[in-house]
Short mmCIF file of all heavy atoms in Angstrom, two decimals:
data_model
loop_
_atom_site.label_atom_id
_atom_site.label_comp_id
_atom_site.label_asym_id
_atom_site.label_seq_id
_atom_site.Cartn_x
_atom_site.Cartn_y
_atom_site.Cartn_z
N PHE O 1 0.84 -1.20 0.00
CA PHE O 1 0.00 0.00 0.00
C PHE O 1 0.88 1.26 0.00
O PHE O 1 0.65 2.20 -0.77
CB PHE O 1 -0.92 -0.01 1.22
CG PHE O 1 -1.63 1.29 1.47
CD1 PHE O 1 -2.85 1.56 0.87
CD2 PHE O 1 -1.08 2.25 2.32
CE1 PHE O 1 -3.50 2.77 1.09
CE2 PHE O 1 -1.72 3.46 2.55
CZ PHE O 1 -2.93 3.73 1.94
N SER O 2 1.87 1.26 0.87
CA SER O 2 2.72 2.44 1.02
C SER O 2 3.57 2.68 -0.23
O SER O 2 3.71 3.82 -0.69
CB SER O 2 3.62 2.29 2.25
OG SER O 2 2.84 2.08 3.41
N LEU O 3 4.15 1.63 -0.80
CA LEU O 3 4.97 1.78 -2.00
C LEU O 3 4.12 2.22 -3.19
O LEU O 3 4.52 3.10 -3.96
CB LEU O 3 5.68 0.47 -2.31
CG LEU O 3 6.82 0.08 -1.37
CD1 LEU O 3 7.38 -1.29 -1.74
CD2 LEU O 3 7.94 1.12 -1.38
N ARG O 4 2.95 1.60 -3.35
CA ARG O 4 2.08 1.99 -4.47
C ARG O 4 1.62 3.44 -4.34
O ARG O 4 1.53 4.16 -5.32
CB ARG O 4 0.88 1.05 -4.53
CG ARG O 4 1.23 -0.36 -4.99
CD ARG O 4 0.10 -1.33 -4.72
NE ARG O 4 0.44 -2.70 -5.09
CZ ARG O 4 -0.15 -3.78 -4.59
NH1 ARG O 4 -1.13 -3.65 -3.69
NH2 ARG O 4 0.22 -4.99 -4.99
N ARG O 5 1.34 3.84 -3.11
CA ARG O 5 0.94 5.23 -2.87
C ARG O 5 2.06 6.19 -3.26
O ARG O 5 1.83 7.21 -3.91
CB ARG O 5 0.57 5.41 -1.40
CG ARG O 5 0.14 6.81 -1.00
CD ARG O 5 -0.24 6.86 0.48
NE ARG O 5 -0.71 8.17 0.88
CZ ARG O 5 0.07 9.15 1.31
NH1 ARG O 5 1.39 8.96 1.42
NH2 ARG O 5 -0.44 10.32 1.65
N PHE O 6 3.30 5.85 -2.86
CA PHE O 6 4.43 6.71 -3.21
C PHE O 6 4.60 6.78 -4.73
O PHE O 6 4.83 7.86 -5.30
CB PHE O 6 5.71 6.21 -2.56
CG PHE O 6 6.89 7.12 -2.79
CD1 PHE O 6 7.19 8.13 -1.90
CD2 PHE O 6 7.69 6.97 -3.92
CE1 PHE O 6 8.26 8.99 -2.13
CE2 PHE O 6 8.75 7.82 -4.15
CZ PHE O 6 9.04 8.84 -3.25
N LEU O 7 4.51 5.63 -5.39
CA LEU O 7 4.67 5.60 -6.84
C LEU O 7 3.57 6.40 -7.53
O LEU O 7 3.80 6.98 -8.60
CB LEU O 7 4.65 4.16 -7.35
CG LEU O 7 5.82 3.28 -6.90
CD1 LEU O 7 5.59 1.83 -7.32
CD2 LEU O 7 7.14 3.79 -7.46
N GLU O 8 2.40 6.47 -6.92
CA GLU O 8 1.26 7.17 -7.52
C GLU O 8 1.32 8.67 -7.30
O GLU O 8 1.08 9.46 -8.23
CB GLU O 8 -0.05 6.61 -6.95
CG GLU O 8 -1.31 7.25 -7.50
CD GLU O 8 -1.53 6.98 -8.97
OE1 GLU O 8 -1.05 5.93 -9.45
OE2 GLU O 8 -2.19 7.80 -9.65
N ILE O 9 1.62 9.12 -6.08
CA ILE O 9 1.50 10.55 -5.77
C ILE O 9 2.81 11.21 -5.38
O ILE O 9 2.86 12.43 -5.21
CB ILE O 9 0.46 10.79 -4.65
CG1 ILE O 9 0.99 10.28 -3.29
CG2 ILE O 9 -0.87 10.16 -5.00
CD1 ILE O 9 0.12 10.70 -2.12
N GLY O 10 3.88 10.44 -5.20
CA GLY O 10 5.15 11.01 -4.74
C GLY O 10 5.65 12.12 -5.63
O GLY O 10 5.68 11.98 -6.87
N THR O 11 6.01 13.24 -5.03
CA THR O 11 6.52 14.38 -5.80
C THR O 11 8.01 14.27 -6.09
O THR O 11 8.54 15.05 -6.87
CB THR O 11 6.25 15.69 -5.05
OG1 THR O 11 6.89 15.63 -3.77
CG2 THR O 11 4.75 15.90 -4.85
N LEU O 12 8.68 13.32 -5.45
CA LEU O 12 10.13 13.18 -5.59
C LEU O 12 10.40 12.04 -6.58
O LEU O 12 10.83 10.95 -6.20
CB LEU O 12 10.77 12.91 -4.23
CG LEU O 12 10.31 13.83 -3.09
CD1 LEU O 12 10.92 13.40 -1.78
CD2 LEU O 12 10.67 15.28 -3.40
N SER O 13 10.17 12.30 -7.85
CA SER O 13 10.26 11.24 -8.86
C SER O 13 11.66 10.65 -8.95
O SER O 13 11.83 9.48 -9.30
CB SER O 13 9.85 11.79 -10.24
OG SER O 13 10.67 12.90 -10.60
N TYR O 14 12.69 11.43 -8.58
CA TYR O 14 14.05 10.95 -8.68
C TYR O 14 14.36 9.86 -7.66
O TYR O 14 15.32 9.11 -7.81
CB TYR O 14 15.05 12.10 -8.49
CG TYR O 14 14.83 12.88 -7.22
CD1 TYR O 14 15.29 12.42 -5.99
CD2 TYR O 14 14.16 14.10 -7.25
CE1 TYR O 14 15.08 13.13 -4.82
CE2 TYR O 14 13.94 14.82 -6.08
CZ TYR O 14 14.41 14.34 -4.88
OH TYR O 14 14.19 15.04 -3.73
N VAL O 15 13.56 9.76 -6.58
CA VAL O 15 13.85 8.76 -5.55
C VAL O 15 13.79 7.35 -6.12
O VAL O 15 14.70 6.55 -5.97
CB VAL O 15 12.87 8.92 -4.36
CG1 VAL O 15 13.08 7.78 -3.36
CG2 VAL O 15 13.07 10.26 -3.66
N VAL O 16 12.69 7.05 -6.81
CA VAL O 16 12.53 5.72 -7.41
C VAL O 16 13.07 5.71 -8.84
O VAL O 16 13.61 4.70 -9.29
CB VAL O 16 11.05 5.29 -7.38
CG1 VAL O 16 10.84 3.99 -8.14
CG2 VAL O 16 10.58 5.14 -5.94
N GLY O 17 12.93 6.81 -9.55
CA GLY O 17 13.50 6.92 -10.89
C GLY O 17 12.94 5.93 -11.88
O GLY O 17 13.63 5.52 -12.81
N GLY O 18 11.68 5.53 -11.72
CA GLY O 18 11.06 4.63 -12.68
C GLY O 18 11.54 3.20 -12.61
O GLY O 18 11.20 2.38 -13.47
N ARG O 19 12.29 2.85 -11.56
CA ARG O 19 12.85 1.49 -11.49
C ARG O 19 11.83 0.43 -11.09
O ARG O 19 11.93 -0.71 -11.50
CB ARG O 19 14.02 1.47 -10.50
CG ARG O 19 15.31 1.99 -11.08
CD ARG O 19 16.35 2.16 -10.00
NE ARG O 19 16.06 3.32 -9.18
CZ ARG O 19 16.83 3.71 -8.17
NH1 ARG O 19 17.88 3.00 -7.84
NH2 ARG O 19 16.54 4.79 -7.48
N ILE O 20 10.86 0.80 -10.25
CA ILE O 20 9.87 -0.17 -9.78
C ILE O 20 8.64 -0.08 -10.68
O ILE O 20 7.96 0.94 -10.71
CB ILE O 20 9.49 0.10 -8.32
CG1 ILE O 20 10.72 0.00 -7.41
CG2 ILE O 20 8.43 -0.90 -7.85
CD1 ILE O 20 10.46 0.37 -5.96
N SER O 21 8.36 -1.16 -11.42
CA SER O 21 7.21 -1.15 -12.33
C SER O 21 5.94 -1.64 -11.64
O SER O 21 4.84 -1.20 -11.97
CB SER O 21 7.50 -2.00 -13.57
OG SER O 21 7.81 -3.34 -13.21
N SER O 22 6.06 -2.56 -10.68
CA SER O 22 4.88 -3.02 -9.95
C SER O 22 5.31 -3.65 -8.63
O SER O 22 6.47 -4.03 -8.45
CB SER O 22 4.07 -4.02 -10.77
OG SER O 22 4.81 -5.21 -11.00
N VAL O 23 4.35 -3.75 -7.71
CA VAL O 23 4.59 -4.30 -6.38
C VAL O 23 3.61 -5.46 -6.18
O VAL O 23 2.40 -5.30 -6.37
CB VAL O 23 4.38 -3.23 -5.29
CG1 VAL O 23 4.64 -3.83 -3.91
CG2 VAL O 23 5.27 -2.02 -5.54
N GLU O 24 4.13 -6.62 -5.78
CA GLU O 24 3.31 -7.81 -5.61
C GLU O 24 3.39 -8.31 -4.17
O GLU O 24 4.48 -8.32 -3.56
CB GLU O 24 3.79 -8.92 -6.56
CG GLU O 24 3.10 -10.25 -6.38
CD GLU O 24 3.79 -11.38 -7.14
OE1 GLU O 24 4.70 -11.09 -7.95
OE2 GLU O 24 3.45 -12.55 -6.89
N VAL O 25 2.26 -8.72 -3.63
CA VAL O 25 2.22 -9.35 -2.32
C VAL O 25 2.25 -10.86 -2.55
O VAL O 25 1.25 -11.47 -2.97
CB VAL O 25 0.96 -8.95 -1.53
CG1 VAL O 25 0.89 -9.70 -0.21
CG2 VAL O 25 0.96 -7.44 -1.29
N ALA O 26 3.40 -11.48 -2.28
CA ALA O 26 3.55 -12.92 -2.53
C ALA O 26 3.06 -13.74 -1.35
O ALA O 26 2.63 -14.88 -1.52
CB ALA O 26 5.02 -13.24 -2.82
N ALA O 27 3.12 -13.18 -0.15
CA ALA O 27 2.65 -13.84 1.07
C ALA O 27 2.50 -12.76 2.13
O ALA O 27 2.92 -11.61 1.92
CB ALA O 27 3.63 -14.93 1.53
N VAL O 28 1.94 -13.12 3.26
CA VAL O 28 1.72 -12.11 4.29
C VAL O 28 3.03 -11.48 4.74
O VAL O 28 3.07 -10.31 5.17
CB VAL O 28 0.97 -12.74 5.49
CG1 VAL O 28 1.84 -13.76 6.21
CG2 VAL O 28 0.48 -11.66 6.45
N ASP O 29 4.13 -12.22 4.61
CA ASP O 29 5.43 -11.72 5.04
C ASP O 29 6.45 -11.69 3.90
O ASP O 29 7.65 -11.77 4.12
CB ASP O 29 5.98 -12.57 6.18
CG ASP O 29 6.16 -14.03 5.80
OD1 ASP O 29 5.70 -14.42 4.71
OD2 ASP O 29 6.74 -14.78 6.61
N ARG O 30 5.96 -11.55 2.67
CA ARG O 30 6.88 -11.57 1.52
C ARG O 30 6.39 -10.60 0.45
O ARG O 30 5.28 -10.71 -0.06
CB ARG O 30 6.98 -12.97 0.96
CG ARG O 30 8.13 -13.18 -0.02
CD ARG O 30 8.41 -14.65 -0.20
NE ARG O 30 8.91 -15.24 1.05
CZ ARG O 30 10.19 -15.42 1.32
NH1 ARG O 30 11.10 -15.09 0.43
NH2 ARG O 30 10.57 -15.95 2.47
N LEU O 31 7.26 -9.65 0.14
CA LEU O 31 6.96 -8.62 -0.85
C LEU O 31 7.85 -8.82 -2.07
O LEU O 31 9.04 -9.13 -1.92
CB LEU O 31 7.22 -7.23 -0.25
CG LEU O 31 6.75 -6.02 -1.05
CD1 LEU O 31 5.24 -5.88 -0.94
CD2 LEU O 31 7.44 -4.76 -0.54
N VAL O 32 7.29 -8.66 -3.26
CA VAL O 32 8.07 -8.81 -4.49
C VAL O 32 7.98 -7.51 -5.28
O VAL O 32 6.89 -7.01 -5.56
CB VAL O 32 7.55 -9.99 -5.34
CG1 VAL O 32 8.35 -10.08 -6.64
CG2 VAL O 32 7.65 -11.29 -4.56
N LEU O 33 9.15 -6.98 -5.64
CA LEU O 33 9.23 -5.80 -6.50
C LEU O 33 9.61 -6.24 -7.90
O LEU O 33 10.62 -6.92 -8.09
CB LEU O 33 10.28 -4.82 -5.96
CG LEU O 33 10.14 -4.35 -4.51
CD1 LEU O 33 11.26 -3.39 -4.15
CD2 LEU O 33 8.78 -3.71 -4.27
N HIS O 34 8.79 -5.85 -8.87
CA HIS O 34 9.11 -6.10 -10.27
C HIS O 34 9.70 -4.81 -10.84
O HIS O 34 9.09 -3.74 -10.75
CB HIS O 34 7.85 -6.51 -11.03
CG HIS O 34 7.25 -7.79 -10.54
ND1 HIS O 34 7.75 -9.03 -10.90
CD2 HIS O 34 6.22 -8.03 -9.69
CE1 HIS O 34 7.04 -9.98 -10.30
NE2 HIS O 34 6.11 -9.40 -9.56
N LEU O 35 10.90 -4.93 -11.39
CA LEU O 35 11.64 -3.75 -11.84
C LEU O 35 11.49 -3.55 -13.34
O LEU O 35 11.25 -4.49 -14.10
CB LEU O 35 13.12 -3.90 -11.48
CG LEU O 35 13.46 -4.21 -10.01
CD1 LEU O 35 14.96 -4.20 -9.80
CD2 LEU O 35 12.77 -3.23 -9.07
N SER O 36 11.66 -2.30 -13.75
CA SER O 36 11.66 -1.98 -15.17
C SER O 36 13.03 -2.22 -15.80
O SER O 36 13.15 -2.33 -17.01
CB SER O 36 11.25 -0.52 -15.37
OG SER O 36 12.15 0.34 -14.68
N ARG O 37 14.03 -2.31 -14.94
CA ARG O 37 15.41 -2.58 -15.39
C ARG O 37 16.21 -3.04 -14.19
O ARG O 37 15.86 -2.71 -13.03
CB ARG O 37 16.04 -1.32 -15.99
CG ARG O 37 16.05 -0.12 -15.04
CD ARG O 37 16.73 1.07 -15.66
NE ARG O 37 16.60 2.28 -14.86
CZ ARG O 37 17.36 2.61 -13.81
NH1 ARG O 37 18.33 1.77 -13.43
NH2 ARG O 37 17.18 3.73 -13.15
N PRO O 38 17.27 -3.79 -14.39
CA PRO O 38 18.13 -4.14 -13.26
C PRO O 38 18.71 -2.87 -12.63
O PRO O 38 18.99 -1.89 -13.34
CB PRO O 38 19.23 -4.98 -13.91
CG PRO O 38 18.64 -5.49 -15.18
CD PRO O 38 17.72 -4.41 -15.66
N SER O 39 18.88 -2.88 -11.33
CA SER O 39 19.35 -1.68 -10.63
C SER O 39 20.27 -2.05 -9.49
O SER O 39 19.85 -2.61 -8.48
CB SER O 39 18.15 -0.88 -10.10
OG SER O 39 18.58 0.21 -9.31
#
């Protein structure tokens, strides 16, 4: 929720720089970041 919110409304675009394309909840205790490029 927090990462998606930042990607949606964050004014500091340089922080993420377009690297995170999507965020997936794989389990209650496991988060998966899908990147637009290796970083």
